[in-house]
Amino acid sequence: MNNNYKIIRTIFENAFQRVLECKDNDTGEIFYSNVITSQKVINLIDIDELKKISTNILECYNTEDRIYIYTKPLKTEYKGIRDYSGKSLTLKQQFDLSEKVIVLAQNIFNMTDVVQQKILDLDRLYVDENDCLAVDLNLVFEQEYDIADNETFKRLGNMIHYIFSGTEIVDYNISDTIPPDILKIIVRCLTREYLYPRDVLAELKASPIFAMIFGPEVPKIKTAKASEEMKQEPEEAPTVAVFGDNLPDEEPDDRSIYDIYVNDNNEKEKRPAAKKGRLRINKEIKRAVVSITVVVLVLLAGNMLIKNFNKGKEVSAGGSSQNQPEQGSQTQNPQETDPGQTEESPGTADSTQLYYNDKLIEKTGYSGEKAAIDSDIYVEGSSSLVVENKGDGKIKSLFAIVDFTDEKFSYMLKKQIGISAKTKSESDVKAQVVLEAYKGGKLTSNFHTSVSIYDDMWSSLTVPINVTDADTLNIYIEYEGQNKVWIDSIYIDVIK
């Protein structure tokens, strides 16, 4: 960047980041300078991945101790997605924009959770005059650690809801103006039934409405012979030609209906009345009645699904880990050994030893505070792990390790995994579950979430995280004050 510029104002500043609005003295153009100095935040950002998506980046590079991101303002040339969706969009525009947002989510899905959350923000997305999507990457970080819960699908569902209704989802109340096919996709995003954003895109394209608007996909020619035969065949009109103007009078006229959903609400020339106009009107009325009936039935089913979902399981926006593990989160990988068995003690029924044993601790070289084994208080097997704090200060103690260099656990890399366990304490305490990822012996990322632990019952905790590239994942319990915390029934696996 040109160093001949003037600082206009400071947009954001904390201990590890400074964002400035600047003016180039030579050209008079406004740009933003975003300098990140915290090594923990730097470890969360892959600038090569950022450069692959459509953004407002002017220049982006890193040095040994900081990242520089220079961006241009988008408001002057682009329209924010809120303003864009606020106008009267046609159904075609809504589907097209939804597809672009889903593709963006897929393109950033390998980034850390906190970066995904920063990008998938209604206030960060813009649309240009050609309806192309762009991201404002003048990112602001309020924390130095990754978030405890991946919100990509929840945010994706909210964005699709906003595109089709002009409103965000509040308390899981979904607008009744949304088409049934889209309603189903939004609900599945909220309940995290998809594994990847591309699964959302596949379901969007499978929608009958999508096929009506954009036409069926033309199958690819696989052989040279077939290609030659195709050349010899006379060219036929595409399937979507049924909506054209050169229709015989005896066929129902769907053009007006198609225009309502696909094209702008401009005045069209009125076509000559057909001989069987009354018959077409009757058919359209029947079609409308059937369509409305289907919409009502699907909406009712969707509302029932949402209510049952809210009663059965709360989707936590803040990563609160008091809920039970998601269905399928503990499904065993075919290559993984039984959680109740370890190399050191085959046949044991104690799951804690799978992720916490002397051989594993020695392999990783960990030498800090560690949990102890307690054979008196436990849920399963013959023992649990206990972390005792004898003082009034804070204690942070290791109680599990995932070794991704072990082929039994390497399949978890670059996937969302769930960490679940049962806990109880000597007296009620608010604690932190801390996760630290290491690569080549160096800390690459860390994140944590709050949990409540009680003295009169074993309670379940679940922490979902996205694992990028790491050799090991260390898991700690951290709390303050004199107390004892027991941990048992530890299970870690990919969330299916």
Side-chain angles (χ1 to χ4, degrees), residues 61 133 152 242 272 300 406 420:
Y61 61 91
L133 193 68
T152 294
V242 296
L300 290 174
D406 189 328
S420 67

Side-chain angles (χ1 to χ4, degrees), residues 210-240:
F210 188 96
M212 180 191 75
I213 296 173
F214 297 99
E217 294 186 4
V218 179
K220 296 180 180 179
I221 304 301
K222 296 183 179 180
T223 64
K225 182 178 180 181
S227 178
E228 185 65 28
E229 291 176 356
M230 182 65 102
K231 291 179 181 178
Q232 297 174 2
E233 291 290 334
E235 185 175 351
E236 297 181 357
T239 306
V240 293

Side-chain angles (χ1 to χ4, degrees), residues 91-92 94-100 102 164 181-182 185 201-217 240 258 262:
L91 199 59
K92 181 177 182 179
Q94 291 172 336
F95 271 90
D96 181 63
L97 183 57
S98 297
E99 179 181 357
K100 290 171 181 175
I102 297 169
F164 279 88
D181 296 343
I182 305 304
I185 292 173
L201 183 60
E203 187 154 9
L204 180 79
K205 290 189 173 183
S207 163
I209 305 176
F210 188 96
M212 180 191 75
I213 296 173
F214 297 99
E217 294 186 4
V240 293
Y258 181 74
V262 181

Side-chain angles (χ1 to χ4, degrees), residues 113-121 124 135-136 139-143 155:
D113 291 350
V114 68
V115 175
Q116 291 183 47
Q117 178 177 300
K118 295 297 180 184
I119 292 176
L120 287 181
D121 188 323
R124 291 283 170 194
V135 182
D136 180 6
L139 305 179
V140 172
F141 294 88
E142 298 87 2
Q143 59 193 33
R155 286 173 173 260

Side-chain angles (χ1 to χ4, degrees), residues 236-288:
E236 297 181 357
T239 306
V240 293
V242 296
F243 296 109
D245 289 329
N246 299 320
L247 293 174
D249 288 340
E250 61 268 24
E251 291 295 329
D253 184 1
D254 290 339
R255 179 59 181 259
S256 60
I257 298 174
Y258 181 74
D259 283 340
I260 291 173
Y261 290 105
V262 181
N263 299 319
D264 295 326
N265 298 324
N266 296 329
E267 286 293 327
K268 306 291 183 180
E269 292 184 4
K270 295 183 179 180
R271 303 183 58 202
K275 294 180 180 179
K276 297 184 179 181
R278 292 184 180 179
L279 177 61
R280 288 200 297 269
I281 293 173
N282 290 335
K283 287 184 177 181
E284 296 305 336
I285 292 175
K286 291 178 181 179
R287 286 185 185 180

Side-chain angles (χ1 to χ4, degrees), residues 15-18 34-43 45 47 61-69 144:
F16 43 88
Q17 180 183 21
R18 190 182 188 195
N34 193 338
V35 182
I36 300 170
T37 56
S38 166
Q39 191 60 45
K40 292 181 179 179
V41 178
I42 291 173
N43 290 334
I45 303 172
I47 60 175
Y61 61 91
N62 62 332
T63 61
E64 290 185 359
D65 59 350
R66 57 190 62 195
I67 285 180
Y68 295 87
I69 304 176
E144 287 188 296

